């Protein structure tokens, strides 16, 4: 009897695991395609307006602010408070149609008001988030902001409709919708280049800039975000839910759930407020660059900083986030079933498994930083110098990548235990330390190097946050085989360094360290990355197999068995 019951239970768990795996694969593929197109969009933008130029930084400032403000004002509510309510409502007789109608109506009204207010305040917002900018720079940034700040409304609609679809098991649309946005923006930037030409050194961008350029570039960006939200209404319409305007918002339960999630919301607010202040400090570089008579192309600004972040966060988003999602479910079940003793082993396994892709990615970014930066340096005469400036930031941010993922894993332990206060306190402590350090640097570091200092600071704060999370997890749950975890990271690290030497040798032959072929243009940089990256990957996998690193099997699963075992080949 018990055997049959356990068999059924195992079969059900296998079915659930298979379903979850398909969902994760669908979401991960959407994220990957969107990220790749995002890289294309960013590289193409550098061709259009440059990467270490005033227009690049001014547009980046105006185009990023809506995302941060949305997350600051309402992003936490949509991502934390609404999810449990939507799942609960989906079990009603009407499958949550009435509740969802109320929620979408509330979202449209609230986000329209918030976006309208922020757009009216475009000038003061730009002034508050910049340092030392000239009146022409502030004027253009404000014009960009008028076009971009309405994105706040569409971010809200996209988030709530996406969460509704997720609650009803239609996961793919939420992750694939950003592909539409990136395709639209690529088309817009391509049109811009066709109409106005690519950026050329020597152009006085600010003096020659026209309202038509502003409308096309910033309006096209907002159009992409709008379509990203609108496209979700098609699967919503075919979901079987009867969505109608409904203004009866009383009794929706948002206040109760909001109180429960208050610490998480506070943590997100602290993080996004810190991001706004970091961007304000970074704006000093843009103003300082304009005062240089020579060497301006080596001064990284906000565009270069955000591009380096976009690159280094990709491995974390694809690998660490997916693995942490699986780990979080396992941790949650362990706490729910009163199996707290299983937590250290789960944490150990998760951290050791993620070491395989993340440590390699960190080394790869450091080794390939030059041609990676060159991809986003544009096609003008200073493209190589601009790429080198971005590459320098990549090296600094990549050094903290493993610690970013370690911290991300460790705080899942607290969330799985429904402790949202501890992650918030960690976030606040790191934000305070980071901002104090950043403001101190702005007082002592030349403005032309402030962005380099911030990139270094990002890596340092990642290390610090991982250390704090480690101490608190060990204090609450005991040792999670820290020695074994550290041993895995050290062993994988040496193997990654060895593969990095192999990739570096290939890149050296291609002129990647002396301004040769790899720096001569975007296409040569791509070729160099492909050759060097392939060499690194092959050597890395072969060495992992030769060293019999068991975490490789945990990470790759069945695919790892197709990789030849070098030790066996040697014995043959």
């Amino acid at each position: 009897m018990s055997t049959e019951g356990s068999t059924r239970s195992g079969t059900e768990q296998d079915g659930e695991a298979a379903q979850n795996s398909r969902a994760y694969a669908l979401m991960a593929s959407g994220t990957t395609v969107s990220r790749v197109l995002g890289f294309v969009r960013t590289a193409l933008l550098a061709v259009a307006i440059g990467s270490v130029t005033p227009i690049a930084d001014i547009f980046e400032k105006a185009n990023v602010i809506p995302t941060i403000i949305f997350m600051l004002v309402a992003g936490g509510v949509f991502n934390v408070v609404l999810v449990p309510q939507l799942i609960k409502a989906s079990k009603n007789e009407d499958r949550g149609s009435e509740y969802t109608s109320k929620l979408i109506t509330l979202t449209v009204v609230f986000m329209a008001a918030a976006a309208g207010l922020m757009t009216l305040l475009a000038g003061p917002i730009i002034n508050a988030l910049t340092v030392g900018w000239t009146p022409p720079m502030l004027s253009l940034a404000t014009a960009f902001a008028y076009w971009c700040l309405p994105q706040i409304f569409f971010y809200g609609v996209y988030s709530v409709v996406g969460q509704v679809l997720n609650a009803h098991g239609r996961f793919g649309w939420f992750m694939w919708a950003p592909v539409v946005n990136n395709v639209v923006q690529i088309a817009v930037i391509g049109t811009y280049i066709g109409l106005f030409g690519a950026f050329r050194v020597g152009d006085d961008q600010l003096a020659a800039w026209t309202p038509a350029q502003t409308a096309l570039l910033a309006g096209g960006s907002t159009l992409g975000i709008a379509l990203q939200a609108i496209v979700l209404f098609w699967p919503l319409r075919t979901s079987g839910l009867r969505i109608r305007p409904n203004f009866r918002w009383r009794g929706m339960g948002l206040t109760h759930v909001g109180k429960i999630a208050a610490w998480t919301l506070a943590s997100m607010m602290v993080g996004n407020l810190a991001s706004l202040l970091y961007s304000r400090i970074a704006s000093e570089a843009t103003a300082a660059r304009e005062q240089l008579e020579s060497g301006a192309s080596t001064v990284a600004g906000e565009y270069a900083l955000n591009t380096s972040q976009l690159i280094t966060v990709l491995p974390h988003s694809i690998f660490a986030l997916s693995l942490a999602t699986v780990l979080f479910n396992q941790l949650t079940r362990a706490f729910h079933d009163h199996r707290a003793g299983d937590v250290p082993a789960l944490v150990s396994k998760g951290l050791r498994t993620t070491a395989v892709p993340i440590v390699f990615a960190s080394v790869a970014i450091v080794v390939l930083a030059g041609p990676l930066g060159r991809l986003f340096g544009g096609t003008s005469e200073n493209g190589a110098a601009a790429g080198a400036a971005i590459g320098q930031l990549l090296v600094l941010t990549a050094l903290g990548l493993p610690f970013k993922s370690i911290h991300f894993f460790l705080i899942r332990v607290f969330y799985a235990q429904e402790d949202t206060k501890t992650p918030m306190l960690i976030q606040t402590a790191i934000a305070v330390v980071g901002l104090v350090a950043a403001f101190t640097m702005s007082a002592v570091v030349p403005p032309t190097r402030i962005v380099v200092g911030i990139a270094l600071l990002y890596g340092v704060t990642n290390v610090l946050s991982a250390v704090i999370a480690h101490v608190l997890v060990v204090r609450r749950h005991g040792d999670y085989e820290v020695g074994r975890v550290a041993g895995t990271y050290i062993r994988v690290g040496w193997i990654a360094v060895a593969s990095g030497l192999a990739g570096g040798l290939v890149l050296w032959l291609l002129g990647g360290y002396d301004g040769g072929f790899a720096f001569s243009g975007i296409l040569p940089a791509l070729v160099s990355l492909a050759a060097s990256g392939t060499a690194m990957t092959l050597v890395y996998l072969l060495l992992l197999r030769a060293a019999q690193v068991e975490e490789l099997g945990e990470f790759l699963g069945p695919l790892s068995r197709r990789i030849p075992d070098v030790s066996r080949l040697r014995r043959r």
Side-chain angles (χ1 to χ4, degrees), residues 120-175:
L120 290 175
L121 295 174
I125 290 173
I126 292 296
N127 277 278
L129 296 179
T130 55
V131 179
W133 283 20
T134 63
M137 295 167 69
L138 291 172
S139 176
L140 181 57
T142 302
F144 276 135
Y146 278 128
W147 282 96
C148 293
L149 282 169
Q151 294 173 17
I152 296 172
F153 170 77
F154 296 107
Y155 279 128
V157 174
Y158 163 74
S159 294
V160 72
V161 177
Q163 295 294 3
V164 169
L165 294 173
N166 285 346
H168 289 270
R170 309 190 72 172
F171 301 101
W173 286 92
F174 190 45
M175 293 300 183

Side-chain angles (χ1 to χ4, degrees), residues 552-565:
L552 176 64
E554 295 287 346
F555 173 65
L556 292 179
L559 181 60
S560 66
R561 292 192 288 271
R562 300 183 182 181
I563 302 172
D565 191 328

Side-chain angles (χ1 to χ4, degrees), residues 82-99:
L82 299 184
V83 174
Q85 292 296 91
L86 286 168
I87 293 175
K88 180 180 178 181
S90 67
K91 298 177 181 178
N92 296 339
E93 291 184 4
D94 65 349
R95 299 180 60 232
S97 293
E98 182 179 3
Y99 185 87

Side-chain angles (χ1 to χ4, degrees), residues 30-40 182 310 313-314 317-318:
T31 300
T32 303
V33 172
S34 178
R35 295 278 183 173
V36 170
L37 290 176
F39 285 142
V40 174
N182 282 315
L310 178 71
V313 81
L314 181 63
S317 300
I318 294 177

